[in-house]
Amino acid sequence: MNPFIQLGIRHDIVNAISELGFENPTPIQEQSIPVLLTGSNDFVGLAQTGTGKTAAFGLPLLELLDFEENHPQALILCPTRELCLQITNDLKNYAKNMRNVNVVAVYGGASISDQLHQIRRGVQIVVATPGRMLDIINRGAINFSGVRFVVLDEADEMLNMGFQEDIDSILSTTPEDKKTWLFSATMPSEVRRIAKKYMEDPYELTMGTKNTGNENIEHEYYVVRARDKYAAFKRIVDFNPEIFGIVFCRTKIETQEIAESLIKDGYNADSLHGDLSQQQRDKVMKRYRDRSLQLLIATDVAARGIDVNDVTHVINYSLPDEIENYTHRSGRTARAGKTGVSISIINGKELGKIRQIEKTLGKRFAKAEIPTGFDVVEKQLFALIHKVHNVEVNEKQIEQYLPRIMDEFKELSKEEIIKRFASLEFNSFLEYYKNAVDLNAPADERPRAEGDRGERGDRFNRTGMRSDFTRLFINLGSVDGFTRGDLLGYICNTTKIAGKTVGKIDVKGVYSFFEVANDDVQKVQSGFKGTDFQGRDVRIEISGEGSSESRSGGTSNSYKKREGGERKEGGFRNGSGYGGGNREGGNREGGSRERSGGNSGGGFRDFSGKRREDRGERRRKF
Ligand code: AMP
């Protein structure tokens, strides 16, 4: 027997939800439907968004109300217009095989007269946001004396948004003996208080632990320097070619700026915040829902109630001020049993906040490393290969060109053709990322996280360097025209050591650091003895034995002075490994992408610096 029938839902409703793909009840539906169907309990359900709670209360409502009567019998209050429309739509779908079911959505930012008109025509279920509901009540346009059930959905959000007084006023117009069903993702003391105030001995259902995030969400954090945040963010996005994400910022201005920068840099992104008109917000949301937008940059308030399935990543570009908001943000992914990742990009000082959130959620966050340029190139390349493999061929259209294409390739073997197709994109990835710097905050700039040692293993010392390697200082850097690759070549040519025994290379302005295997230190030192570079003696020192990293006094100051001078002249980005106005091309990751050709293999990143829409691909799904 269909499990929903077993729960007590009638056939015509079960047929409708089967069409929506509901085969088995979700855990919250399984546990709450039998309780709510009795119609005799107040109810508190602690459940995340995306767990199926709309049907958990919606199906019992459809069973309990008398649709022969055409007056309001159920009132559902929710925090946002988005959610209001969503619930209304869901209820209509569940009831599509039933007769005389009238559901009306009441929310701000839309014509009140249409809503009044629908109410006048007769309605049994009102789904409303508190502000507009109160407005309609104050006009005397609705009579709630026949209400039997009130649902407070996302109660914590409604309180966060300051709707407490409105809710009080609205509920005061409903009968004393109605039943109240409250759903909330978190249970702060304010929600506890309203549960106490409006309910009598409610049946309580907790899915998971209180204030715990969805089990299907993985939480990760990256530690970067504040100035590298945007570049790090883009690197993470590039490393996830199939991302369909929501990016949270703290302020409207930040939201707007990040979205603008992303668009300029060729990403498929747009912003959602309170300064946009309702019409603009609807448009953005429609594009996001239709998946013609890949990254939605949003503030907490604007993103409340966003209910889009298959969001793969939530990115906390800025951590929220309130821990509760972290739960709401991350709950936008891993909906309906899917998995998702919630990423936080933080600086070293914010690690304490991560620990606090971990404690509240009772979950450990994984510390992740910003991928290297090479990692990204590899990932993008294989995303492209995957895409080529799965591309739908339009046999009819391509047929006419095939003879000519075959003719062009007749000299080439299959391997050669594949290599060339792959290189078409690969070359532009390589070009873009060839000088990508390490964007992880250096170990000495981030507080040591518990478990760091375990994660990295004993091969790494306290500063994150392999213990069988030594860090060396060299008095050449980007002002001498060196990139990391150049420096590697120069070191190997001069000292005759193998490239693979050279570890991390950090090109600074007038000097650089590089790591070599301990066994090769001597060889490097003797190899550079007496060498000069464009008339300047080349100096090699073991880092920490008098290099600028640790040295105090004259020599150190002289480095600083030189760096300071050059920064002024050339826009030198101290410490990041980029040199302004030199062969590396300056602030590559911070700038636009116009320098490289081709377009993305991963389905979205546009290396040409041109927006996807400009190329008529607005509707493309990925
Ligand atoms: P909700 O938490 O009500 O917003 O539901 C989240 C998503 O899960 C919605 O897209 C629902 O359509 C879907 N959903 C709800 N219940 C089920 C079910 N029993 N089986 C499959 N999908 C469901």
Side-chain angles (χ1 to χ4, degrees):
M1 201 204 282
N2 183 302
F4 280 100
I5 301 270
Q6 275 177 324
L7 286 180
I9 304 296
R10 56 202 234 210
H11 279 282
D12 49 356
I13 298 180
V14 170
N15 288 342
I17 60 174
S18 297
E19 279 180 40
L20 299 175
F22 294 18
E23 285 169 9
N24 289 299
T26 64
I28 190 164
Q29 290 163 1
E30 199 163 31
Q31 296 191 48
S32 58
I33 289 175
V35 179
L36 297 180
L37 274 179
T38 66
S40 53
N41 289 93
D42 282 336
F43 177 92
V44 175
L46 193 62
Q48 303 292 311
T49 56
T51 50
K53 62 187 164 62
T54 314
F57 64 77
L59 302 183
L61 280 184
L62 293 177
E63 291 287 341
L64 291 165
L65 304 187
D66 179 358
F67 293 101
E68 298 302 315
E69 299 277 328
N70 219 2
H71 63 84
Q73 299 168 46
L75 166 65
I76 300 166
L77 289 177
C78 61
T80 62
R81 161 196 165 102
E82 271 281 327
L83 190 58
C84 176
L85 287 167
Q86 182 75 38
I87 295 171
T88 308
N89 198 35
D90 286 353
L91 291 176
K92 286 181 178 167
N93 283 332
Y94 308 155
K96 80 173 210 195
N97 300 328
M98 295 169 68
R99 281 158 44 91
N100 301 328
V101 176
N102 294 311
V103 188
V104 65
V106 165
Y107 52 89
S111 152
I112 197 167
S113 55
D114 284 354
Q115 294 169 4
L116 291 171
H117 179 66
Q118 288 184 60
I119 291 168
R120 271 196 299 272
R121 273 204 326 231
V123 55
Q124 298 102 357
I125 304 177
V126 178
V127 188
T129 54
R132 174 60 63 91
M133 189 70 258
L134 195 59
D135 190 353
I136 287 178
I137 290 172
N138 289 339
R139 290 169 186 237
I142 200 158
N143 178 357
F144 279 152
S145 63
V147 164
R148 294 167 55 204
F149 301 97
V150 168
V151 180
L152 302 174
D153 193 18
E154 301 211 349
D156 50 352
E157 281 293 351
M158 286 199 282
L159 295 185
N160 273 342
M161 292 171 80
F163 284 135
Q164 170 81 65
E165 277 180 29
D166 288 0
I167 295 172
D168 283 344
S169 309
I170 295 165
L171 294 193
S172 70
T173 67
T174 61
E176 279 279 310
D177 62 353
K178 65 176 179 291
K179 297 297 170 217
T180 304
W181 303 344
L182 178 148
F183 289 83
S184 192
T186 57
M187 191 51 75
S189 51
E190 298 80 22
V191 176
R192 275 255 152 258
R193 260 201 305 279
I194 63 163
K196 226 177 187 169
K197 184 167 169 187
Y198 299 131
M199 292 180 213
E200 222 170 276
D201 192 22
Y203 183 96
E204 289 201 23
L205 184 64
T206 303
M207 306 308 297
T209 339
K210 277 176 194 151
N211 296 329
T212 300
N214 178 333
E215 281 306 313
N216 292 337
I217 304 172
E218 278 177 43
H219 301 266
E220 288 179 356
Y221 67 94
Y222 294 83
V223 187
V224 301
R225 289 161 158 158
R227 64 165 177 256
D228 290 333
K229 195 163 164 178
Y230 179 65
F233 162 61
K234 287 198 299 181
R235 185 96 55 93
I236 293 167
V237 170
D238 288 350
F239 190 66
N240 291 283
E242 303 297 330
I243 194 169
F244 178 53
I246 305 182
V247 181
F248 283 95
C249 297
R250 202 180 285 136
T251 62
K252 292 177 204 165
I253 291 173
E254 189 181 48
T255 306
Q256 187 69 33
E257 281 174 358
I258 298 296
E260 277 171 14
S261 302
L262 284 172
I263 293 166
K264 194 174 108 236
D265 288 347
Y267 290 82
N268 187 5
D270 214 336
S271 60
L272 187 75
H273 57 75
D275 280 353
L276 302 177
S277 70
Q278 192 62 56
Q279 222 179 5
Q280 288 171 313
R281 283 161 62 171
D282 287 349
K283 221 163 132 193
V284 173
M285 273 317 294
K286 182 163 185 331
R287 287 178 59 214
Y288 190 61
R289 262 183 217 297
D290 290 351
R291 294 181 154 241
S292 39
L293 192 63
Q294 196 162 16
L295 292 171
L296 182 70
I297 322 298
T299 55
D300 287 290
V301 175
R304 272 179 187 146
I306 287 183
D307 171 29
V308 176
N309 282 341
D310 300 324
V311 171
T312 59
H313 292 74
V314 162
I315 299 184
N316 296 283
Y317 189 82
S318 298
L319 283 176
D321 291 327
E322 307 284 330
I323 293 181
E324 301 274 315
N325 274 342
Y326 183 88
T327 311
H328 286 292
R329 288 178 175 191
S330 54
R332 303 295 148 207
T333 182
R335 298 173 65 78
K338 305 259 173 52
T339 54
V341 187
S342 175
I343 286 174
S344 302
I345 307 173
I346 62 166
N347 62 49
K349 290 188 201 124
E350 291 176 306
L351 200 62
K353 255 185 165 178
I354 292 288
R355 297 287 170 250
Q356 255 178 308
I357 301 171
E358 282 183 325
K359 224 185 244 167
T360 311
L361 297 193
K363 263 190 163 181
R364 189 113 177 107
F365 285 21
K367 181 157 76 62
E369 297 280 312
I370 301 285
T372 63
F374 183 78
D375 294 336
V376 175
V377 168
E378 193 178 84
K379 199 75 182 284
Q380 293 272 356
L381 176 66
F382 283 98
L384 163 73
I385 299 301
H386 186 70
K387 222 170 116 198
V388 171
H389 192 260
N390 294 335
V391 71
E392 240 177 76
V393 176
N394 187 333
E395 302 282 357
K396 227 171 153 187
Q397 293 297 324
I398 195 95
E399 201 177 5
Q400 54 185 317
Y401 303 107
L402 277 180
R404 266 169 63 199
I405 296 172
M406 293 303 175
D407 194 48
E408 284 271 353
F409 287 143
K410 70 173 186 281
E411 307 289 324
L412 300 175
S413 68
K414 175 181 160 193
E415 284 72 25
E416 197 59 35
I417 294 169
I418 292 174
K419 208 161 47 179
R420 286 176 193 218
F421 265 106
S423 297
L424 212 61
E425 294 282 351
F426 187 56
N427 290 346
S428 55
F429 302 151
L430 271 182
E431 169 63 21
Y432 186 76
Y433 270 111
K434 72 177 180 200
N435 298 315
V437 288
D438 182 1
L439 293 173
N440 293 289
D444 51 358
E445 278 189 27
R446 41 181 157 169
R448 234 168 101 64
E450 271 175 67
D452 272 7
R453 181 174 289 280
E455 279 163 43
R456 309 208 66 170
D458 291 328
R459 289 169 61 226
F460 297 87
N461 67 16
R462 197 176 50 79
T463 56
M465 189 175 75
R466 283 179 58 170
S467 50
D468 52 342
F469 273 59
T470 300
R471 186 165 150 98
L472 298 178
F473 161 91
I474 185 168
N475 62 335
L476 300 174
S478 61
V479 291
D480 303 298
F482 281 100
T483 64
R484 287 199 295 178
D486 296 336
L487 192 58
L488 175 66
Y490 181 64
I491 294 165
C492 294
N493 280 337
T494 313
T495 64
K496 305 293 175 236
I497 63 167
K500 65 172 191 262
T501 63
V502 179
K504 200 171 144 204
I505 298 177
D506 233 355
V507 178
K508 308 277 184 184
V510 292
Y511 61 91
S512 304
F513 294 101
F514 60 98
E515 296 170 3
V516 287
N518 293 343
D519 293 345
D520 279 336
V521 172
Q522 193 67 47
K523 209 166 163 190
V524 171
Q525 286 180 317
S526 53
F528 273 113
K529 216 171 207 149
T531 314
D532 77 295
F533 182 82
Q534 295 178 352
R536 199 145 53 95
D537 281 348
V538 178
R539 256 182 327 109
I540 298 288
E541 289 167 14
I542 294 177
S543 167
E545 284 184 5
S547 68
S548 71
E549 266 191 326
S550 63
R551 194 176 2 213
S552 60
T555 327
S556 165
N557 286 340
S558 69
Y559 287 127
K560 281 195 184 127
K561 233 186 270 157
R562 286 176 67 186
E563 264 195 9
E566 276 135 20
R567 187 164 33 215
K568 246 184 269 153
E569 285 159 28
F572 181 81
R573 252 179 105 204
N574 182 22
S576 71
Y578 282 125
N582 60 28
R583 301 212 313 246
E584 288 187 72
N587 187 359
R588 187 183 294 270
E589 290 207 350
S592 84
R593 298 171 176 219
E594 274 154 16
R595 17 188 28 257
S596 10
N599 64 34
S600 156
F604 115 94
R605 190 166 144 222
D606 187 343
F607 280 79
S608 68
K610 221 165 162 229
R611 289 182 63 179
R612 168 142 294 150
E613 292 95 287
D614 298 341
R615 302 184 317 206
E617 293 179 41
R618 180 182 291 275
R619 305 290 309 168
R620 187 157 110 193
K621 303 197 178 192
F622 49 90

